[in-house]
Amino acid sequence: MSIILEINSLIEFDVEDDQSRIMRVLYIDQASDALVWIVVYQSVKIKIPQDLPILTKYSQVLDHLNRHLGRKLLYDSFMAQPVNNMDLTDAQKEIFERNWKILQPIVSQSPAILIDRKLRGKLVLEAKKTHGSAKTTIYRLLRLYWIGGQSKYTLVPKLENSGANGTERISTQLSQKRGRPSRIAKYTKIPSSPNVTPEMKLILEKIGEDFYEGKRFSMLKSFDEGLKKYFKAGEQTLPDGSKKIILLPEHQQPTLMQFRYWYGKAIRKNIERVGIAREGEIEHNLKFRVLNSESTSMAMGPGSIFQVDATIPGVHLVSRKNRHHLIEKPVLYVIMDVFSRMIVGFWVGLEGPSWAGAIQAMMHMVEDKVEFCRKMGIEISPDEWSSHHLPDAMIADRGEFEGYNASLLVDSLGIKLSNTAPYRADWKGIIERHFKSVDTRIVNWLDGAVRLNRKGTKDQRLNATLTLDDFRKILTTHFLEYNLTNEIKEYPRDTDMMRDGVRPIPIELWNWGLKNRSGRLRTIDVDRLRIMLLPRD
């Protein structure tokens, strides 16, 4: 009976001294009497190249099999089995897809890459540049692909075989020292530190609580103080009468690395407690708290929520009547639509932060922007700044938006008003971030901008040249440019937006939202709004 070889066949050869070698056939070309195979398994004592495919003669392999010097295996235990993506974890899916994306352009060149080393090397180098993977990693994936039957499922990582499935290893002082020995330990044969027993683990956690959290020391300072408290062998009286703490021998002390590891592991599930202990609740909530969501998810469409806030730009202005006279720094109010990030209204003046300044900003919010820009000497079309509406809800600071005046928004206009808690500027993160953008892109480059004063430098107030009208015009052009061209890199676009090709630019998000989302926009006459918001007496 003649032997028939196919691609992916396994052939086992017996070698002297009960050693064996298993080869997988990767390619056959009977016309040119060529066969390419690769070593799948070989005994340790056999020394032949095994990492890459080997070209040999097809007739020679058949001759060896017919003379019973080798045999074709009927059962293939090395073949990768197909895997259902639903059975993979997220981590396995991510690694599997990344590996296949690296390998697919290379193996699609088969059988050329099995024979031509130069072509194979060129494709590997291109994959390295494209994906940033090391050449050794790409060749390792290639070998896995070939010995697994040229199936992409060989690239599925077997993460279930890694680690100890979340179990924590328990050590005792009498057990063998775990971990890689240090250079000193290799030389002296004395461990440089003890095993971390359950009792020592509690001590390391206590050091962190006492010094890192309680006294707000650095990690290194906390560790040093902890050694003096919990690993003290005694005290020595110095000639000047002071006391010096004598620590236990080094092989009985934990290391800084052990402290960082075990204390870090203990607080991982309650990191917020540590942040509050070290920074204080107000500072932690403002800068370090975990973000469970972002503002955009609260808005269903344009006009659902507007954010309003005021800031004092760091620039000195001069009087329009006499440019040699300085006036106080201006107050800037900005109103922004949460859904589209469109600037829907602003005001810069000398009032405020106060209810009078807030009224001016809300007046601009409902004003015709074409006419407003024309007064500034700027010609725009209605499509370039089309917002002139009242929102369904507003998020503002306490202060001017608290009390009787602010209740007019709720009672007369039906606007839901929400004030942020004290010291929680992060609740209006979108508009707070835009204030920083105004400073870095506009204010810091103006004459008279407030900068760090150094001895011998000119008083920056003497550089002031802009009037309030000049500054207002500059801000108008900035907000126009922002609405029309600024791309919001971290905007959370949903599936519908990506399908319609909407770029995260305020004007595009605004126009798309008007057509596809249930916005809550309402219009009102400017004069009527002014009368409704004026203070009562």
Side-chain angles (χ1 to χ4, degrees):
M1 181 178 178
S2 61
I3 299 175
I4 300 176
L5 291 180
E6 306 93 359
I7 292 177
N8 285 335
S9 296
L10 285 182
I11 304 173
E12 183 179 20
F13 293 96
D14 292 327
V15 190
E16 58 183 9
D17 298 330
D18 297 327
Q19 304 298 322
S20 65
R21 176 169 71 244
I22 300 176
M23 312 289 290
R24 182 182 296 283
V25 177
L26 300 179
Y27 174 70
I28 297 175
D29 186 355
Q30 297 185 37
S32 59
D33 194 26
L35 180 145
V36 180
W37 56 6
I38 191 171
V39 177
V40 174
Y41 167 81
Q42 68 174 357
S43 301
V44 178
K45 294 182 180 180
I46 305 173
K47 302 297 183 183
I48 68 168
Q50 61 172 347
D51 292 335
L52 296 173
I54 304 169
L55 176 63
T56 187
K57 291 185 177 181
Y58 176 72
S59 58
Q60 185 178 356
V61 175
L62 283 181
D63 181 60
H64 278 70
L65 294 176
N66 289 327
R67 289 193 292 130
H68 303 289
L69 298 177
R71 54 193 168 274
K72 179 181 176 182
L73 298 181
L74 300 179
Y75 178 72
D76 190 346
S77 61
F78 300 97
M79 176 69 72
Q81 299 300 319
V83 178
N84 189 341
N85 279 356
M86 300 296 293
D87 298 332
L88 300 179
T89 64
D90 292 340
Q92 285 178 310
K93 289 178 184 176
E94 182 181 353
I95 298 173
F96 175 44
E97 292 172 359
R98 183 178 69 241
N99 290 343
W100 182 236
K101 188 179 294 185
I102 294 172
L103 219 58
Q104 188 178 20
I106 302 176
V107 298
S108 62
Q109 303 289 331
S110 181
I113 61 166
L114 298 173
I115 304 171
D116 192 339
R117 286 175 173 266
K118 290 185 178 179
L119 174 61
R120 185 168 59 223
K122 179 181 178 181
L123 293 172
V124 169
L125 188 60
E126 290 177 357
K128 175 186 175 183
K129 293 179 179 178
T130 303
H131 302 283
S133 300
K135 288 174 62 176
T136 53
T137 300
I138 299 174
Y139 277 111
R140 178 179 60 82
L141 294 177
L142 276 172
R143 175 165 170 77
L144 284 175
Y145 176 78
W146 285 325
I147 68 175
Q150 304 184 79
S151 168
K152 69 177 183 179
Y153 294 108
T154 58
L155 306 178
V156 176
K158 297 177 176 58
L159 300 182
E160 65 276 8
N161 297 333
S162 304
N165 294 326
T167 58
E168 187 175 291
R169 297 181 175 90
I170 305 299
S171 300
T172 64
Q173 292 289 9
L174 299 178
S175 62
Q176 183 179 0
K177 178 67 177 73
R178 298 177 56 200
R180 184 180 64 181
S182 66
R183 292 181 180 179
I184 296 177
K186 288 180 180 179
Y187 179 76
T188 62
K189 306 301 181 183
I190 300 175
S192 57
S193 62
N195 282 327
V196 177
T197 62
E199 295 78 13
M200 184 177 290
K201 188 176 75 167
L202 292 176
I203 294 176
L204 295 177
E205 293 173 10
K206 183 64 175 173
I207 291 174
E209 293 175 5
D210 290 348
F211 299 104
Y212 187 73
E213 299 176 34
K215 296 189 176 181
R216 303 182 183 182
F217 289 161
S218 67
M219 193 68 76
L220 179 59
K221 176 71 172 175
S222 301
F223 176 68
D224 289 339
E225 294 298 320
L227 290 181
K228 295 175 184 177
K229 181 175 181 180
Y230 295 102
F231 296 91
K232 181 173 69 172
E235 292 184 352
Q236 178 183 0
T237 303
L238 299 178
D240 60 358
S242 61
K243 300 286 186 178
K244 179 183 177 182
I245 294 177
I246 306 299
L247 299 178
L248 294 172
E250 284 193 3
H251 66 275
Q252 298 181 23
Q253 302 175 24
T255 63
L256 177 61
M257 186 177 296
Q258 288 175 324
F259 169 61
R260 287 181 183 274
Y261 175 80
W262 289 105
Y263 174 62
K265 189 173 183 179
I267 65 175
R268 199 168 296 156
K269 295 181 179 179
N270 199 4
I271 193 68
E272 187 173 1
R273 184 205 74 201
V274 180
I276 293 175
R278 286 185 59 82
E279 306 294 338
E281 186 171 2
I282 292 175
E283 191 74 6
H284 171 78
N285 288 337
L286 183 61
K287 295 183 178 180
F288 304 104
R289 70 183 180 91
V290 176
L291 296 178
N292 298 319
S293 64
E294 44 79 39
S295 299
T296 310
S297 62
M298 301 165 56
M300 298 300 295
S304 292
I305 303 175
F306 285 177
Q307 288 186 2
V308 56
D309 202 3
T311 187
I312 300 178
V315 60
H316 298 287
L317 301 180
V318 297
S319 171
R320 69 166 66 96
K321 296 181 178 179
N322 187 341
R323 289 181 177 265
H324 295 288
H325 291 173
L326 284 170
I327 61 175
E328 56 186 301
K329 285 183 287 188
V331 177
L332 171 63
Y333 268 93
V334 175
I335 304 176
M336 178 183 285
D337 175 53
V338 170
F339 176 81
S340 65
R341 314 291 174 87
M342 168 92 81
I343 302 297
V344 296
F346 81 96
W347 181 256
V348 57
L350 303 179
E351 302 88 359
S354 65
W355 180 246
I359 289 177
Q360 299 279 17
M362 285 185 284
M363 296 289 295
H364 183 254
M365 178 180 71
V366 301
E367 185 178 355
D368 179 13
K369 303 302 190 297
V370 176
E371 182 62 28
F372 172 80
C373 290
R374 185 175 294 118
K375 296 176 183 177
M376 297 279 180
I378 303 171
E379 294 294 330
I380 65 171
S381 65
D383 294 336
E384 290 180 291
W385 202 349
S386 58
S387 62
H388 53 86
H389 309 86
L390 291 174
D392 184 54
M394 294 185 74
I395 298 178
D397 264 337
R398 301 161 68 91
E400 60 265 35
F401 280 88
E402 206 172 37
Y404 173 75
N405 289 327
S407 67
L408 298 173
L409 292 174
V410 179
D411 299 336
S412 303
L413 301 174
I415 297 176
K416 303 180 185 71
L417 184 62
S418 175
N419 283 309
T420 60
Y423 308 106
R424 295 309 301 271
D426 55 308
W427 287 7
K428 305 189 310 310
I430 292 176
I431 198 166
E432 293 284 352
R433 179 63 184 85
H434 190 73
F435 283 148
K436 184 176 181 180
S437 176
V438 171
D439 284 338
T440 55
R441 297 179 61 180
I442 302 296
V443 174
N444 292 345
W445 300 92
L446 299 177
D447 292 335
V450 177
R451 300 185 180 91
L452 182 64
N453 277 323
R454 299 185 183 276
K455 286 186 177 181
T457 60
K458 185 179 179 180
D459 189 341
Q460 293 154 7
R461 292 175 295 179
L462 300 178
N463 296 327
T465 59
L466 298 175
T467 65
L468 191 60
D469 293 334
D470 297 332
F471 187 49
R472 189 174 293 145
K473 185 174 182 179
I474 290 172
L475 289 176
T476 301
T477 57
H478 165 70
F479 292 138
L480 269 171
E481 180 192 18
Y482 168 83
N483 286 341
L484 296 173
T485 64
N486 186 70
E487 187 169 346
I488 307 163
K489 296 182 179 179
E490 298 181 359
Y491 186 88
R493 290 187 299 168
D494 58 24
T495 305
D496 295 336
M497 292 179 182
M498 290 187 283
R499 183 191 62 231
D500 294 341
V502 180
R503 294 181 298 172
I505 295 175
I507 189 65
E508 293 192 22
L509 295 170
W510 175 273
N511 293 333
W512 184 88
L514 291 180
K515 295 178 181 179
N516 299 276
R517 289 288 185 265
S518 56
R520 304 298 297 271
L521 297 174
R522 294 173 291 150
T523 58
I524 188 173
D525 182 72
V526 179
D527 292 331
R528 184 184 173 197
L529 178 66
R530 180 186 294 110
I531 293 172
M532 296 173 68
L533 294 181
L534 284 175
R536 302 296 198 271
D537 192 9

